[in-house]
Amino acid sequence: PGFKSFLKSYTEQIRTLLPLYIREGKSYLTIAIGCTGGRHRSVYIARQIAETLSAGGFSVSGQATVVTEDQAVAYNLGRQAVEGAKRVADTLRSAEVPVIINGLLRLPLRRDDPPDALFSLPAKLAAAGVRYCIADGGRDSTNTRNLPFEAAHARAFGLSDDEALKAVTLYPAQILGVADKLGSLEVGKLATLFVADGDPLEPSTRIERVFMQGREVELSDRQTALRDKYLKRQ
């Protein structure tokens, strides 16, 4: 009885939030269900939620993964200290555990690490064949604007141009299981992209046009309105 009421309440909460995400122009929502009881109840819950949302007219894609003890150990090692990922690269690669680097623009966590420990980490993971991506290092969306510069620092410390761009586009989509829709420009994927006047990882580059699912997004906001207002006074 308790489980059924929980599932109903949780699903209703998701259905309530989905229109708000759509209204904000977001093209997808990632929902992760996990458990540690060893009975794979999270797999059942995920499937029930997917069926309910599909019946409600939402497009749902999902992936159920049973994590072994070795994979959990490798994951926890990477999670507890991202800098330690390079030390357990073989374990992470063999267990197929991806590493999400939560920001590069901060100090190393270990006193014996060199100053560039984080900056060079993406290049070392790439060389070791470990799946990875770069996050913005923030707890909310306020640092998202710095994401290209995180990748640029990784590029300056050994990551190739192509790898640096994939680290914040295709690789996150692959890790999150949405690479069939996002992450690169390919036939059949959602046309979510931007047009810039230069290298997208350089601070001086300006974003000129943005498209989400093929629809162009208006880039004007309060800040641009104020800019235009005071530029006219000059």
Side-chain angles (χ1 to χ4, degrees):
F3 167 75
K4 290 183 178 180
S5 60
F6 160 77
L7 183 60
K8 180 180 179 181
S9 175
Y10 189 64
T11 304
E12 289 178 351
Q13 184 178 17
I14 295 173
R15 290 174 64 99
T16 301
L17 292 174
L18 281 173
L20 301 180
Y21 276 83
I22 296 173
R23 189 181 307 165
E24 292 179 0
K26 297 180 179 179
S27 58
Y28 70 92
L29 171 66
T30 300
I31 302 171
I33 307 294
C35 70
T36 57
R39 299 180 182 179
H40 311 322
R41 286 170 290 192
S42 59
V43 176
Y44 174 78
I45 293 174
R47 288 174 177 170
Q48 290 297 310
I49 293 174
E51 290 177 3
T52 302
L53 294 179
S54 294
F58 294 99
S59 176
V60 179
S61 62
Q63 178 180 359
T65 302
V66 178
V67 180
T68 65
E69 183 177 355
D70 290 340
Q71 289 174 322
V73 170
Y75 171 78
N76 286 327
L77 284 172
R79 182 184 179 195
Q80 290 169 8
V82 173
E83 293 86 342
K86 60 180 178 291
R87 297 184 172 92
V88 293
D90 291 339
T91 304
L92 291 168
R93 183 178 60 252
S94 60
E96 298 183 355
V97 176
V99 175
I100 300 177
I101 306 171
N102 192 28
L104 304 179
L105 306 181
R106 53 194 176 96
L107 295 173
L109 296 182
R110 290 188 175 87
R111 297 181 64 182
D112 59 341
D113 273 341
D116 66 343
L118 277 171
F119 300 152
S120 60
L121 178 59
K124 292 178 179 178
L125 291 176
V130 177
R131 296 175 61 206
Y132 73 97
C133 71
I134 299 175
D136 59 27
R139 295 184 177 181
D140 51 40
S141 61
T142 56
N143 284 330
T144 302
R145 66 184 185 279
N146 294 326
L147 186 57
F149 314 141
E150 302 273 359
H153 273 75
R155 181 173 62 180
F157 284 82
L159 206 60
S160 67
D161 290 346
D162 189 49
E163 278 287 306
L165 187 58
K166 287 181 178 179
V168 292
T169 54
L170 180 60
Y171 292 165
Q174 290 175 341
I175 291 174
L176 295 174
V178 293
D180 60 326
K181 299 178 180 178
L182 300 168
S184 61
L185 295 177
E186 299 178 53
V187 176
K189 290 190 176 184
L190 299 177
T192 299
L193 58 115
F194 64 86
V195 178
D197 63 358
D199 185 343
L201 303 186
E202 288 296 329
S204 59
T205 297
R206 296 183 61 183
I207 304 299
E208 297 181 340
R209 303 178 70 182
V210 173
F211 297 85
M212 294 187 66
Q213 298 188 40
R215 297 189 296 271
E216 187 164 8
V217 178
E218 176 61 50
L219 296 182
S220 62
D221 55 19
R222 184 171 182 272
Q223 281 69 37
T224 58
L226 288 172
R227 178 201 64 192
D228 296 341
K229 175 182 177 181
Y230 289 103
L231 281 175
K232 293 179 180 179
R233 294 187 176 183
Q234 295 181 357

